[in-house]
Amino acid sequence: MSETMEEILRAIGILIAFIVVLALAYLTARFVGTKFAGYTRGKYIRVIDRIFLGRDKWVCIIQVGSQYYIVGITSQNMEFLGQISQQELIPLHSEGENGSFANLLGNYLKKLKGEANGDD
């Protein structure tokens, strides 16, 4: 066999090995994700929302049945901060308002087009 044919076969072998590794990584991630998903979903308790305050510091709203609790969480401690009713849960912004990547990208592209039109 010629040297170029050996290089082509070697490249195909590397490509096949790469695809096999990607497939195994995908299957492993799916398996691990479904295995641990059961541990994060509770039958009677759910984290409604959380906000990151700083290094290892979070404030969470947790629903237990029909009750809502505010909890402060650090790497060393968890502290009850208060209880609120469902009527007091008011979204600060709609989900599609400004936070999605598509909206941020669209706004950025509009800004770029505006600057490009202003340069003419």
Side-chain angles (χ1 to χ4, degrees):
M1 262 199 286
S2 70
E3 194 172 308
T4 56
M5 184 61 116
E6 288 178 14
E7 289 177 9
I8 291 173
L9 290 176
R10 188 176 302 139
I12 291 172
I14 291 172
L15 181 63
I16 290 172
F18 180 71
I19 291 171
V20 168
V21 168
L22 282 179
L24 288 174
Y26 172 76
L27 292 174
T28 302
R30 291 272 319 241
F31 174 74
V32 170
T34 56
K35 187 82 169 167
F36 288 108
Y39 295 120
T40 59
R41 262 187 252 143
K43 190 172 182 179
Y44 302 103
I45 189 170
R46 174 170 70 134
V47 175
I48 300 296
D49 200 5
R50 65 179 169 258
I51 187 165
F52 178 73
L53 298 177
R55 183 176 170 194
D56 298 331
K57 294 177 182 80
W58 297 84
V59 173
C60 297
I61 299 174
I62 299 173
Q63 178 184 8
V64 180
S66 62
Q67 303 293 317
Y68 295 87
Y69 302 99
I70 302 174
V71 178
I73 300 171
T74 67
S75 61
Q76 303 296 321
N77 193 13
M78 184 176 204
E79 188 170 331
F80 174 75
L81 299 176
Q83 182 175 355
I84 59 176
S85 67
Q86 186 173 10
Q87 291 77 24
E88 293 174 300
L89 290 175
I90 301 169
L92 299 177
H93 57 81
S94 65
E95 297 217 2
E97 192 174 280
N98 286 325
S100 76
F101 177 74
N103 286 336
L104 291 173
L105 182 61
N107 290 339
Y108 180 72
L109 291 175
K110 286 178 189 175
K111 181 179 175 184
L112 284 178
K113 283 182 182 178
E115 289 176 1
N117 291 339
D119 291 341
D120 289 340

